[in-house]
Amino acid sequence: MPRVEKIELSDSHVKGRMAAAVLLLVVGVALIAYSFSKFLSTDAGWQEIEADAAGEFHCGGDFTFLYELGKGEASVNSEKKELTALYSDAAKTAYGIFNADVEIEGVANLWYLNHHPNEEIVVDEVLYNALSRVSDDGGRWIYLGPVYSIYDNLFYMSSPDGAVDFDPRLNPVIGELFQEICRFAKDSEAVNLELMGNSTIKLKVSEEYLAFTEAEELEDFIDFYWMKNAFIVDYLADRLLAEGYHHGVISSYDGYVRCLDDRGTIFAYQLYHEQEGMAVLSEVMEYTDPCSFVSFRSYPLNGLDYRRYLILSDGSVRTPYLSTVDGLDRCSIEELTVYARNMGCAEIALKAASVYIADGFQENTLSSLRETGIYAVYWESGEIRNNGPVLSIEDED
């Protein structure tokens, strides 16, 4: 195997220069294996495939899809054209299915479910399976929909000083409202998904909760929020694999990665660590074969992270990881990367969320994840630790 070429990413000053952060090809990671690119023509080799939905809305802007063209029987141009069409259609479909913010004609998405509580709704099988996984996991994060809809305004303030209007830590009124919403969100009698089979779902909402949301002018009962792209990247990957496209990597800007490649190609995954207020490229993990990664971070790293993080005037950071206890954001550790061979990003994220969205990091909680085949990389006492056998880690210096 030819030597792997790693892409160097500039270190961004997290707390002082977020506006100048560079949009990385892969958020917090570099997963690119250009094994043969220097020896092939410009049309073949590793290329970025971009979604093109002919003017229709799609979620392709949240993802980077890299694929090695020229390894099949079809010509490179034909392969790229067919792959682009497939990826574009998948990105358009995913945008519609998982959207909680927009009504889309003819699509029973999250927005539709939120606006038709206590009704039996037939949804796309993909959405049904995603909601089934959330229900099976037992976590209640998805039911923080009203909290997410308010809290999300933080990230679109023209100035950090405006955060007081929506920040539960700074605004006692918002804090009390979030606690009341959490009381309902934690109660399966107040709000719950009833999976009825045959892709039919009922979002059950109690009369008391309906009256409360009406009085507070709230509409969203459920929302994937921080885990949405975990489900989408799994859907995109599964669509590609089903059509025989195995030679690529899909990654989202917010830390979800699916490697599809099954040829023994060596990939590099870059690990960042916050040191003295800066995000530093610290280590590189090398791996081969299909693998899924989920990266949690307590700080922004790239240009799109303005949608998930806010740096306040005092240097403190607000993150998207909200607790069902009181609606406050919590990060038990600066960064936590979890990965597995035989499961998708959504399953990994749901299983690892309780470890990360917590008041403090409990290293012993990782052992239960390890028993399910989910391994973790993290920093403890200034040292990097990896409790899994899969990856080799090298110092970037």
Side-chain angles (χ1 to χ4, degrees):
M1 181 65 61
R3 180 175 179 80
V4 177
E5 178 180 334
K6 303 182 182 72
I7 289 184
E8 297 292 339
L9 304 177
S10 62
D11 297 333
S12 303
H13 190 290
V14 174
K15 295 184 176 177
R17 300 172 56 195
M18 178 183 175
V22 178
L23 174 60
L24 309 179
L25 284 178
V26 179
V27 179
V29 299
L31 310 157
I32 308 170
Y34 282 112
S35 301
F36 304 103
S37 60
K38 290 186 178 180
F39 308 101
L40 300 177
S41 68
T42 56
D43 291 330
W46 286 92
Q47 291 192 20
E48 180 177 353
I49 307 299
E50 297 183 354
D52 179 9
E56 297 186 70
F57 289 109
H58 61 79
C59 61
D62 283 357
F63 299 88
T64 298
F65 176 30
L66 299 165
Y67 198 84
E68 187 174 21
L69 299 170
K71 296 300 180 180
E73 296 180 359
S75 67
V76 171
N77 288 338
S78 296
E79 183 182 26
K80 184 174 183 179
K81 183 178 180 180
E82 293 173 1
L83 185 58
T84 299
L86 173 62
Y87 181 61
S88 299
D89 182 70
K92 181 183 71 173
T93 301
Y95 174 85
I97 290 174
F98 292 99
N99 205 314
D101 302 321
V102 179
E103 178 183 11
I104 299 177
E105 185 177 357
V107 179
N109 57 8
L110 288 187
W111 186 96
Y112 192 88
L113 287 172
N114 280 322
H115 288 78
H116 294 81
N118 299 314
E119 297 181 22
E120 295 183 10
I121 308 296
V122 177
V123 300
D124 189 284
E125 183 180 4
V126 174
L127 180 57
Y128 186 86
N129 291 338
L131 294 173
S132 297
R133 180 165 296 285
V134 171
S135 297
D136 292 343
D137 173 75
R140 302 288 295 180
W141 293 286
I142 195 173
Y143 297 107
L144 290 177
V147 169
Y148 296 145
S149 65
I150 298 170
Y151 185 79
D152 204 49
N153 289 288
L154 277 178
F155 308 122
Y156 296 92
M157 296 289 95
S158 58
S159 168
D161 296 334
V164 69
D165 293 333
F166 305 102
D167 191 338
R169 295 185 184 275
L170 301 177
N171 189 324
V173 175
I174 296 297
E176 292 176 7
L177 176 60
F178 278 19
Q179 288 188 30
E180 187 66 10
I181 294 172
C182 287
R183 181 176 69 83
F184 288 109
K186 291 183 290 185
D187 183 3
S188 61
E189 295 297 320
V191 57
N192 208 48
L193 289 165
E194 182 178 351
L195 305 171
M196 311 178 74
N198 297 319
S199 295
T200 303
I201 287 181
K202 179 190 289 187
L203 176 59
K204 298 172 63 176
V205 183
S206 69
E207 290 299 323
E208 181 188 3
Y209 196 16
L210 284 172
F212 172 80
T213 55
E214 183 178 357
E216 297 293 341
E217 299 182 344
L218 301 171
E219 297 180 342
D220 298 333
F221 296 100
I222 58 174
D223 192 344
F224 287 114
Y225 203 55
W226 59 264
M227 56 181 142
K228 180 177 74 171
N229 280 342
F231 286 96
I232 293 180
V233 77
D234 286 343
Y235 168 69
L236 297 175
D238 292 344
R239 279 282 302 269
L240 293 165
L241 290 171
E243 295 298 325
Y245 292 100
H246 295 258
H247 304 160
V249 178
I250 308 175
S251 57
S252 72
Y253 81 94
D254 50 352
Y256 301 109
V257 178
R258 282 287 300 270
C259 176
L260 317 179
D261 201 285
D262 56 3
R263 302 167 297 170
T265 305
I266 301 175
F267 291 86
Y269 186 108
Q270 293 182 341
L271 292 165
Y272 280 80
H273 180 47
E274 186 179 27
Q275 299 178 18
E276 299 180 355
M278 297 184 64
V280 178
L281 175 56
S282 178
E283 312 285 341
V284 172
M285 300 190 296
E286 292 186 349
Y287 69 99
T288 61
D289 301 319
C291 198
S292 301
F293 296 85
V294 173
S295 178
F296 298 97
R297 285 181 285 104
S298 65
Y299 51 85
L301 184 63
N302 63 82
L304 289 180
D305 267 343
Y306 76 89
R307 296 187 287 179
R308 310 194 310 138
Y309 297 88
L310 176 67
I311 302 173
L312 301 180
S313 301
D314 63 359
S316 59
V317 182
R318 296 295 183 262
T319 78
Y321 303 112
L322 306 187
S323 170
T324 56
V325 174
D326 49 19
L328 301 182
D329 69 316
R330 285 181 171 83
C331 298
S332 63
I333 195 171
E334 286 84 358
E335 54 273 309
L336 174 67
T337 296
V338 281
Y339 61 95
R341 288 292 192 192
N342 300 312
M343 63 184 73
C345 289
E347 184 175 0
I348 297 172
L350 286 169
K351 291 183 182 300
S354 60
V355 176
Y356 193 75
I357 307 176
D359 287 318
F361 181 64
Q362 302 295 324
E363 195 169 8
N364 59 353
T365 59
L366 297 175
S367 59
S368 59
L369 290 179
R370 195 176 191 280
E371 292 174 359
T372 67
I374 299 175
Y375 306 108
V377 178
Y378 55 99
W379 277 262
E380 184 72 8
S381 301
E383 297 181 354
I384 190 167
R385 300 187 182 183
N386 174 26
N387 72 354
V390 180
L391 307 178
S392 63
I393 300 179
E394 298 178 1
D395 193 316
E396 182 63 10
D397 294 338

